Amino acid sequence: MSLNRILSIVVAAVAVAAAVSVSLVAAAFALYALVVQWLGPVGAAALVAGVFALIALFSAAVAVGKIRPRRGVPPPPPSPVEKIMGLARERPILATGAAVLAGIVLMRNPAITTALVSAFLAGGGAKPPSPPKRR
């Protein structure tokens, strides 16, 4: 990620935070002005403080993850082995035919069998060639 991209994200986050702050102050003042005539200055201030404390509590709960949205998390995509096993479960006759065909091909061509067995036995033990040393 480039420095310009990071700075753009930071500037955007600061701008959003400033806009939210101004909006909260304006909402608090509007709520105060609305209820001061019925509750008096002290009661209106207490009500505004309580309302914004509840908003802060709800926001913190959402941020921490205590309140989760009702969207379901999609399952991860199946691996190729899971796809093959699912196909074998759905169509066992087709899977048996494919296994018999693979066996016939392997018996008719011993070079493929030898390559597969040596690759299986070598596993992760084979090391790539090291690069030549420079002077």
Side-chain angles (χ1 to χ4, degrees), residues 36-130:
V36 74
Q37 49 191 311
W38 292 295
L39 301 177
V42 175
L47 181 72
V48 168
V51 166
F52 282 93
L54 288 175
I55 290 172
L57 182 67
F58 179 75
S59 300
V62 169
V64 170
K66 300 288 182 189
I67 300 173
R68 295 200 172 114
R70 295 184 185 229
R71 300 179 207 135
V73 177
S79 68
V81 174
E82 291 173 343
K83 288 180 183 179
I84 292 171
M85 293 303 293
L87 183 65
R89 284 189 196 107
E90 290 174 8
R91 298 189 172 94
I93 295 174
L94 180 67
T96 304
V100 169
L101 182 63
I104 291 171
V105 168
L106 290 176
M107 284 192 321
R108 302 242 351 159
N109 194 348
I112 295 175
T113 306
T114 306
L116 288 175
V117 169
S118 64
F120 179 74
L121 292 178
K127 295 181 182 176
S130 60

